[in-house]
């Protein structure tokens, strides 16, 4: 058998089976992709649940979650510069530490990428049904799944255009809510009513356990900055710029989240007063701007689910593509569409799973399940930076001591601490998922070993 010369240049990146994703994304597209995945309005969809579990400390929950995410985002940036591959968490851990741990990390982050679109389908359907109460859940979810799948099917170029439009629409919703909130507060209490320390910290209801649980839900909003790095092989820019785009999208989104939940807490100080946790933001929007504002914001939240689920499905399909290309999963997942150069098999599988999950799994359960896989993957990436840069490359002096050891250690510890504060069911499902991944890895390794031995005997 002849050796195959596989080359990599600025325009083409070949996988191990000779297939390449189409490079069309610019830095701007990557930043928008990250923001769309995180969704500027996601704080609105999580508001009710987050306020309840954090005992009114939604702002602190977002700030505490941001600490872990900043350190971790810097680590993703470093790894994206060193290993510009589509597999993101999976690829970085495989290259820096070991392929088998990389598989486990990739398997763990898949729990996030598989469930996040399901969560968004469900949330979008619930909010849309507030406006169209006669619509059945199964039909509403189907609308979102089909729209997302078709857009991803035709490639990253089409997706990037949709992302730009949806980002503008989501920012419009955010601006409308903040303007009406300020107007309402000024009309009732003057300028002084705009500032409330209790909206950030209330000693009467604060507890560290509640803050940790709240942070584990707030982290849901931040899940997406890492997805920027899954699009490395769809991007025209270098790995370092991919990393910077991830950090930038995280910081911009965090600013919007904190702004929204702060005004929500000022307007409705009693987090127990919501009639429904799932649509708490709808109640606040009615309070500050009437039913017209609530309808506009709710419609935008529902539609924005398309773009966020779009980014989630795209990211998951790239991880499956990379793992399939490396034969850590069946080659079925690495098949690309001959014209659009998209991992079509992975996209279609994710669409079917997404629809079934959105129809059958309740929202509170989804909230509890998603974060574990992401936190495990983040811990692996932080560890990868220490092993690769501080250990193997011995970059330890000056600023490198901070970026290659202190930052990843802090990111690792804070992610682990937030994971410790998760609910019991979230931990059980997360550990069970990783256990299944390890068993699958052991099984496939054994099968591949037998196949190799058979070929050698021949």
């Amino acid at each position: 058998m002849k050796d195959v010369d596989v080359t990599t240049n600025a325009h083409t990146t070949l996988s191990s089976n000779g297939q390449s994703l189409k490079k069309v994304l610019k830095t701007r597209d990557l930043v928008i992709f990250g923001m769309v995945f995180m969704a500027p309005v996601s704080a609105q969809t999580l508001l009710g649940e987050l306020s309840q579990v954090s005992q009114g400390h939604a702002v602190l929950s977002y700030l505490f979650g941001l600490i872990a995410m900043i350190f971790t985002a810097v680590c993703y940036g470093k790894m994206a510069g060193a290993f510009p591959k589509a597999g993101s968490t999976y690829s970085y851990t495989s290259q820096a530490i070991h392929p088998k741990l990389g598989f486990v990390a990739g398997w763990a982050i898949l729990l996030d990428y598989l469930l996040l679109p399901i969560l968004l389908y469900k949330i979008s359907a619930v909010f849309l049904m507030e406006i169209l109460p006669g619509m059945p859940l199964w039909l509403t979810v189907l609308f979102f799944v089909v729209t997302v799948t078709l857009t991803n099917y035709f490639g990253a170029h089409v997706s990037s255009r949709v992302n730009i439009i949806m980002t503008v629409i989501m920012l419009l919703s955010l601006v409308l809510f903040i303007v009406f909130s300020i107007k309402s507060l000024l009309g009732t209490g003057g300028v002084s009513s705009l500032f409330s320390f209790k909206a950030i910290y209330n000693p009467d209801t604060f507890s560290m356990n509640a803050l940790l649980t709240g942070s584990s839900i707030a982290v849901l909003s931040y899940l997406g900055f890492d997805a920027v790095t899954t699009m490395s092989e769809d991007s025209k820019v270098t790995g370092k710029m991919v990393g910077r785009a991830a950090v930038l999208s995280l910081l911009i989104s965090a600013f919007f989240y904190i702004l929204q939940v702060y005004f929500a807490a000022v307007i409705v100080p009693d987090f127990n007063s919501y009639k429904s946790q799932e649509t708490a933001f709808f109640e606040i929007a009615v309070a500050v701007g009437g039913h017209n504002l609530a309808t506009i914001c709710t419609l935008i939240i529902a539609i924005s689910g398309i773009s966020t689920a779009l980014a989630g499905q795209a990211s998951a399909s790239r991880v499956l593509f990379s793992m399939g290309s490396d034969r850590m999963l069946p080659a079925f997942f690495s098949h690309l569409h001959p014209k659009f150069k998209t991992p079509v098999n992975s996209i279609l599988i994710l669409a079917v799973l997404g629809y079934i999950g959105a129809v059958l799994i309740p929202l509170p359960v989804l909230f509890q399940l998603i974060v574990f896989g992401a936190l495990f993957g983040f811990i692996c990436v932080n560890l990868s930076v220490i092993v690769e840069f501080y250990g193997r490359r011995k970059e330890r002096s000056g600023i490198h001591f901070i970026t290659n050891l202190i930052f990843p250690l802090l990111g690792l510890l804070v992610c682990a601490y937030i994971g410790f504060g998760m609910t019991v069911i979230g931990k059980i499902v997360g550990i069970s998922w990783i256990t299944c991944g390890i068993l699958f890895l052991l099984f496939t390794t054994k099968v591949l070993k037998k196949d190799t031995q058979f070929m050698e005997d021949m």
Side-chain angles (χ1 to χ4, degrees):
M1 181 178 178
K2 294 181 180 179
D3 293 334
V4 179
D5 180 25
V6 180
T7 60
T8 303
N9 56 43
H11 302 286
T12 305
T13 303
L14 297 183
S15 66
S16 60
N17 60 1
Q19 300 189 91
S20 62
L21 296 169
K22 198 170 183 180
K23 290 184 172 292
V24 295
L25 302 181
K26 301 175 183 178
T27 303
R28 175 203 64 188
D29 299 319
L30 292 172
V31 173
I32 292 174
F33 179 87
M35 288 180 62
V36 165
F37 198 152
M38 288 182 279
V41 297
S42 68
Q44 300 172 7
T45 63
L46 299 176
L47 179 64
E49 180 77 11
L50 178 57
S51 298
Q52 186 65 46
V53 300
S54 68
Q55 296 293 286
H57 291 86
V59 174
L60 273 186
S61 295
Y62 270 110
L63 286 170
F64 191 75
L66 179 62
I67 294 171
M69 297 304 104
I70 286 176
F71 294 131
T72 303
V74 171
C75 290
Y76 266 96
K78 290 190 71 70
M79 296 306 290
F83 307 107
K85 292 190 66 180
S88 187
T89 305
Y90 156 71
S91 296
Y92 304 156
T93 310
S94 296
Q95 296 283 341
I97 304 176
H98 194 280
K100 289 183 179 178
L101 181 59
F103 174 86
V104 177
W107 182 272
I109 207 77
L110 273 176
L111 182 63
D112 165 25
Y113 291 154
L114 287 170
L115 291 178
L116 200 57
I118 294 175
L119 175 67
L120 267 299
Y121 295 143
K122 188 91 170 184
I123 287 177
S124 297
V126 167
F127 272 83
L128 188 59
M129 288 163 65
E130 282 288 315
I131 302 173
L132 304 171
M135 289 279 286
L137 178 65
W138 68 267
L139 182 59
T140 312
V141 170
L142 184 64
F143 164 74
F144 288 107
V145 173
V146 170
T147 304
V148 166
T149 303
L150 286 177
T151 306
N152 268 326
Y153 181 87
F154 290 115
H157 184 63
V158 175
S159 301
S160 67
R161 291 183 177 179
V162 174
N163 287 340
I164 291 172
I165 295 170
M166 293 311 305
T167 299
V168 172
I169 292 174
M170 285 189 283
L171 291 178
L172 173 63
S173 170
L174 189 153
V175 170
L176 280 174
F177 171 69
I178 291 174
V179 168
F180 274 91
S181 296
I182 292 174
K183 181 181 177 182
S184 175
L185 290 169
L186 290 175
T188 55
V191 176
S192 61
S193 65
L194 296 177
F195 307 97
S196 171
F197 187 69
K198 278 195 172 182
I200 301 172
Y201 171 73
N202 186 349
D204 297 331
T205 60
F206 178 82
S207 78
M208 200 61 203
N209 287 336
L211 178 61
L212 280 176
T213 306
S215 297
S216 71
I217 291 178
V219 166
L220 281 171
S221 292
Y222 293 128
L223 303 183
F225 77 85
D226 58 303
V228 171
T229 60
T230 67
M231 306 301 287
S232 293
E233 290 187 41
D234 298 82
S235 172
K236 293 179 179 180
V237 298
T238 63
K240 287 185 178 180
M241 287 306 299
V242 172
R244 290 171 187 168
V247 174
L248 189 57
S249 63
L250 170 67
L251 293 175
I252 295 172
S253 298
F255 171 76
F256 290 139
Y257 298 150
I258 292 168
L259 202 60
Q260 291 171 85
V261 296
Y262 169 77
F263 277 108
V266 173
I267 292 164
V268 182
D270 183 7
F271 57 87
N272 290 312
S273 64
Y274 299 125
K275 296 177 182 177
S276 169
Q277 289 185 14
E278 292 182 357
T279 55
F281 182 79
F282 183 85
E283 298 175 32
I284 295 176
V286 170
V288 299
H291 281 278
N292 288 336
L293 175 65
T295 300
I296 292 171
C297 290
T298 301
L299 183 60
I300 290 174
I301 289 172
I303 296 174
S304 71
I306 292 177
S307 58
T308 308
L310 178 70
Q313 190 190 75
S315 297
S317 66
R318 268 56 177 186
V319 174
L320 291 173
F321 165 78
S322 187
M323 295 175 79
S325 297
D326 292 344
R327 296 299 185 264
M328 299 301 284
L329 287 176
F332 171 86
F333 291 101
S334 65
H335 175 70
L336 294 180
H337 191 283
K339 179 180 179 182
F340 303 116
K341 297 299 180 184
T342 52
V344 60
N345 290 346
S346 295
I347 289 171
L348 294 177
I349 288 291
L350 290 168
V352 173
L353 293 176
Y355 178 76
I356 295 172
V359 172
L360 299 180
I361 304 176
L363 269 179
V365 176
L366 283 171
F367 284 137
Q368 296 168 0
L369 300 185
I370 291 177
V371 178
F372 188 95
L375 291 176
F376 186 90
F378 293 167
I379 288 171
C380 288
V381 172
N382 284 307
L383 187 59
S384 296
V385 169
I386 297 173
V387 173
E388 177 66 25
F389 292 94
Y390 191 81
R392 186 174 296 124
R393 303 191 187 191
K394 301 187 185 301
E395 297 179 4
R396 304 171 179 173
S397 60
I399 190 66
H400 293 306
F401 177 77
I402 296 175
T403 59
N404 298 340
L405 182 63
I406 302 300
F407 276 13
L409 268 179
L410 289 172
L412 188 155
L413 291 173
V414 178
C415 284
Y417 192 49
I418 293 174
F420 180 76
M422 286 180 61
T423 59
V424 174
I425 187 173
K427 293 175 185 174
I428 291 173
V429 172
I431 292 170
S432 300
W433 174 262
I434 290 177
T435 302
C436 289
I438 293 172
L439 292 174
F440 180 81
L441 177 62
L442 292 174
F443 173 76
T444 53
T445 301
K446 189 175 181 180
V447 171
L448 287 172
K449 195 180 221 182
K450 285 183 178 179
D451 289 344
T452 303
Q453 184 64 46
F454 176 77
M455 293 300 292
E456 289 176 352
D457 294 340
M458 290 293 287

